[in-house]
Amino acid sequence: MKIQASEIARMIDPSTLKIDTTENDVLALVDACKKYEFICAFAWPCYGEMLGQALKGTRTKLGASLSFPSGQEPTEIKVKQAEYFVRIGAEEIDMVMNVGYLKAGSFDKAEKDILEVKKACRGRLLKVIIESMLLTDEQLIDACKIVMDCGADFVKTGTGFSDSPSTNHHVEVMKKTVGNNIKIKVAGGVRDINTLLGMYVRGAERFGIGLASAIKIMEQARQHEGGIDLPVL
């Protein structure tokens, strides 16, 4: 079975989320979105309006990173962020779970945090980041169940800020837990086409990737004019 480069582009959420991101970095992100037709783009909140305006007329949606990268702001602040992102036209919102609540067993607090943000998103697509590389398998399963029960659209492996990457094992555990009830997004460590495809066949449907790696992956994909053979598990 083969997959086309154009299909891969529609699975990639490119981002420029370095600590020293500048307006020029955001403009480079927009240029790449115009060239490759990525599905959704992300920058720091201070550049949200600029990014949204620059993406008008393209096939790329405006995404927003909420409570990024720690997830430990008060719920009230997360809600205000969500309201702001909705106001500036974000179509997809990626929020970070309060992983501290999860690891302490305070599932009710973790759930309330997500539910309040979901309400403030007013129907926009919501992805919840659980930082899987910091979790045991049992905690990973619990996190997926919380996200699923809260009605989010995606559960997402990580922010990309942890030292360890997302792995095939994380995707396998998550897919076994959520089935087809919600979708899986991977972020953190996806820097080449083989890694992306290996996770795709295991159940990941979206990939958050830094701009340089997103461009690299698309150039790798475009070398296969007739499509790329998917790995067999």
Side-chain angles (χ1 to χ4, degrees):
M1 186 174 177
K2 292 182 181 292
I3 188 169
Q4 304 298 319
S6 58
E7 296 176 277
I8 292 172
R10 303 305 291 170
M11 295 190 289
I12 292 178
D13 293 347
S15 64
T16 178
L17 291 165
K18 301 174 293 183
I19 297 301
D20 59 350
T21 293
T22 67
E23 289 186 355
N24 284 337
D25 295 320
V26 178
L27 293 175
L29 175 63
V30 173
D31 286 343
C33 290
K34 291 177 179 177
K35 179 176 180 179
Y36 299 108
E37 299 190 326
F38 294 121
I39 188 164
C40 190
F42 290 78
W44 291 110
C46 65
Y47 300 118
E49 288 189 84
M50 172 189 173
L51 179 58
Q53 288 295 320
L55 288 173
K56 286 185 176 180
T58 74
R59 292 191 68 203
T60 305
K61 296 181 286 185
L62 173 63
S65 300
L66 188 152
S67 190
F68 197 88
S70 75
Q72 299 215 4
E73 288 86 355
T75 299
E76 180 182 4
I77 300 301
K78 290 184 174 182
V79 168
K80 291 295 184 183
Q81 284 187 317
E83 291 171 348
Y84 171 76
F85 293 142
V86 168
R87 188 165 69 249
I88 67 170
E91 296 182 67
E92 300 191 3
I93 295 174
D94 289 26
M95 73 168 288
V96 186
M97 170 187 275
N98 189 317
V99 178
Y101 288 162
L102 171 78
K103 296 186 79 168
S106 300
F107 294 172
D108 56 337
K109 291 182 179 179
E111 290 173 357
K112 182 177 183 295
D113 195 51
I114 297 169
L115 287 170
E116 290 297 316
V117 171
K118 178 176 170 57
K119 188 188 306 179
C121 287
R122 298 184 178 275
R124 275 65 175 181
L125 191 146
L126 178 64
K127 313 185 196 93
V128 180
I129 304 167
I130 61 175
E131 214 66 1
S132 58
M133 56 288 297
L134 301 182
L135 307 178
T136 65
D137 282 3
E138 182 179 359
Q139 291 167 340
L140 181 55
I141 291 167
D142 287 336
C144 287
K145 288 180 178 177
I146 288 171
V147 174
M148 184 165 52
D149 289 346
C150 287
D153 300 283
F154 280 79
V155 58
K156 178 177 171 184
T157 60
T159 59
F161 274 70
S162 292
D163 292 334
S164 301
S166 300
T167 66
N168 288 335
H169 177 71
H170 294 144
V171 177
E172 289 169 350
V173 172
M174 293 165 70
K175 184 62 177 177
K176 184 176 181 181
T177 304
V178 305
N180 294 321
N181 294 302
I182 60 174
K183 298 177 181 179
I184 295 170
K185 176 175 173 179
V186 173
V190 181
R191 298 188 177 93
D192 59 68
I193 190 72
N194 291 331
T195 301
L196 184 149
L197 294 178
M199 292 181 171
Y200 171 71
V201 297
R202 286 172 169 83
E205 297 186 46
R206 192 78 74 84
F207 297 87
I209 304 174
L211 180 57
S213 294
I215 291 172
K216 174 186 171 183
I217 288 170
M218 286 308 302
E219 289 302 317
Q220 290 175 331
R222 286 184 167 191
Q223 291 175 10
H224 301 266
E225 293 185 4
I228 308 163
D229 290 316
L230 290 173
V232 178
L233 297 180

